[in-house]
């Protein structure tokens, strides 16, 4: 008999060859590639890898007992996260953080614990796991509008923890106003709107931002990318590029920007990127000086 382990760790789940091909074995083949990412998600929810793995193992054991519980009407990755969250809500397996594990956790993980449960789940599914709003809705068994609302709530809760000063580099007045409104709705303060490279540098000299939102092509023909590079030479700050020319940044070379929004943009995407950039930034929670 040949056994395979789907989850490496202290409690691996073994899949026996005796399991029928049309039962758990077929499901296992479909979900196995997604398990490392589910473990990441479970760790973020529980606060520790041990706690997260305990939930993943419990889910796999439940699937072995009842393969028919897997939602076949969803694609395998969406179905995997969906059944995991159902189990997450029904059993208490979390390992309480403490000792050295508590000290080793990042500020982002500690910030995450301050979010209320459902918005936290939606935020992680959308920004970390990369699911669309429609997929988040399927996983959480809510409507797309409810899923979007949960992500927005998470953004507002995050802003309360990591509210900061934001510099906007954008030459189109209407777009700049839209971005400024979104930033302020999340609870942040806009220090200024720069239309050119020179204006951006002058505003940074006057007030150091905690986040920069930048277009690439500016009013006088100058480059927002050059402005950002000059800013980053003097201060360490997260940057989100909002541009109609993503190909100028996505060249295949490294480094590439971690946060890139393509115009025309959806407000929800911009808000999620702002929340994610600040939430996972190591300076999160520190107001810019």
């Amino acid at each position: 008999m040949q056994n395979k382990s789907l989850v490496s760790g202290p409690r691996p789940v073994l899949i026996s060859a005796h399991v029928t091909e049309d039962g758990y074995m077929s499901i296992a083949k479909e979900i196995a590639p997604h398990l490392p990412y589910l473990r990441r998600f479970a760790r973020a929810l529980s606060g520790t890898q041990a706690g997260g793995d305990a939930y993943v193992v419990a889910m796999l054991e439940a699937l072995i007992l009842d393969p028919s519980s897997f939602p076949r009407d969803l694609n395998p990755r969406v179905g995997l996260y969906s059944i995991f969250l159902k189990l997450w809500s029904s059993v208490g397996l979390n390992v309480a953080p403490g000792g050295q594990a508590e000290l080793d956790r990042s500020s982002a993980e500690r910030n995450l614990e301050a979010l209320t449960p459902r918005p936290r789940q939606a935020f992680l599914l959308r920004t970390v796991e990369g699911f669309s709003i429609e997929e988040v809705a399927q996983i959480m068994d809510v409507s797309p509008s409810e899923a979007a609302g949960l992500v927005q709530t998470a953004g507002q809760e995050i802003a309360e923890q990591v509210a900061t000063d934001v510099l906007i580099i954008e030459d189109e007045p209407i777009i700049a106003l839209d971005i400024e409104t979104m930033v302020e709705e999340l609870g942040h303060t806009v220090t200024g709107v720069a239309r050119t490279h020179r204006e951006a540098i002058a505003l940074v000299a006057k007030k150091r931002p905690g986040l920069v939102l930048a277009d690439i092509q500016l009013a006088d023909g100058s480059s927002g990318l050059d402005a950002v590079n000059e800013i980053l030479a003097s201060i360490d700050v997260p940057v989100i590029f909002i541009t109609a020319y993503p190909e100028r940044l996505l060249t295949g070379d490294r480094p590439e920007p971690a946060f890139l929004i393509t115009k025309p943009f959806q407000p929800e995407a911009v808000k999620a990127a702002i929340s994610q950039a600040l939430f996972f930034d190591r300076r999160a929670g520190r107001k810019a000086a």
Side-chain angles (χ1 to χ4, degrees):
M1 179 194 306
Q2 182 181 4
N3 291 324
K4 294 199 301 181
S5 174
L6 279 187
V7 177
S8 60
R11 289 185 60 207
V13 171
L14 298 178
I15 304 172
S16 170
H18 289 308
V19 180
T20 60
E21 187 66 27
D22 61 347
Y24 182 70
M25 198 64 186
S26 60
I27 295 173
K29 290 179 180 179
E30 296 180 58
I31 67 174
H34 308 301
L35 285 174
Y37 305 100
L38 182 67
R39 292 183 69 201
R40 173 182 63 189
F41 177 68
R43 175 193 170 143
L45 285 181
S46 69
T48 67
Q49 192 64 68
D53 281 350
Y55 273 98
V56 174
V57 168
M59 180 206 68
L60 293 174
E61 289 174 341
L63 276 178
I64 289 175
L65 293 175
D66 183 15
S68 65
S69 65
F70 191 82
R72 283 298 195 177
D73 55 327
L74 304 176
N75 76 52
R77 183 167 182 250
V78 170
L80 177 66
Y81 281 73
S82 173
I83 197 169
F84 175 82
L85 277 187
K86 285 183 173 63
L87 178 131
W88 173 269
S89 301
S90 64
V91 295
L93 295 174
N94 270 316
V95 176
Q100 187 61 41
E102 174 71 21
L103 296 177
D104 289 342
R105 289 184 305 141
S106 69
S107 60
E109 289 173 318
R110 289 190 290 271
N111 287 342
L112 189 60
E113 291 181 353
L115 299 185
T116 48
R118 295 284 281 176
R120 176 173 63 179
Q121 294 169 14
F123 173 76
L124 288 170
L125 289 169
R126 182 76 181 96
T127 64
V128 177
E129 301 305 317
F131 288 105
S132 68
I133 286 294
E134 290 72 21
E135 289 172 328
V136 172
Q138 291 177 319
I139 291 168
M140 300 187 71
D141 196 23
V142 296
S143 69
S145 62
E146 289 175 299
L150 289 168
V151 173
Q152 183 172 350
T153 297
Q156 292 167 342
E157 292 183 5
I158 290 166
E160 292 176 3
Q161 301 174 50
V162 295
T164 194
D165 297 316
V166 179
L167 169 65
I168 299 171
I169 306 175
E170 170 60 61
D171 65 325
E172 293 287 344
I174 295 178
I175 296 177
L177 181 60
D178 285 343
I179 296 173
E180 185 173 2
T181 299
M182 286 184 281
V183 167
E184 292 176 342
E185 284 177 350
L186 286 174
H188 306 295
T189 301
V190 175
T191 60
V193 178
R195 299 182 67 249
T196 67
H197 181 150
R198 179 175 297 179
E199 288 178 9
I201 300 305
L203 285 170
V204 169
K206 184 183 299 183
K207 179 74 172 180
R208 175 176 173 168
L211 174 69
V212 175
L213 304 179
D215 194 2
I216 294 178
Q217 187 167 306
L218 302 178
D220 61 350
S222 60
S223 167
L225 181 58
D226 290 343
V228 165
N229 286 334
E230 188 171 339
I231 291 168
L232 292 178
S234 60
I235 64 173
D236 188 13
V237 61
V239 178
I240 299 172
F241 286 99
I242 304 176
T243 178
Y245 306 96
E247 67 278 0
R248 297 186 185 179
L249 293 171
L250 301 178
T251 61
D253 299 324
R254 292 290 186 260
E256 289 183 345
F259 303 100
L260 176 62
I261 302 292
T262 302
K263 294 178 180 176
F265 54 77
Q266 295 294 323
E268 293 79 10
V270 176
K271 289 180 179 181
I274 291 171
S275 297
Q276 186 181 12
L278 290 172
F279 190 77
F280 291 101
D281 183 71
R282 64 178 177 275
R283 293 166 300 279
R286 194 171 72 195
K287 184 81 171 179

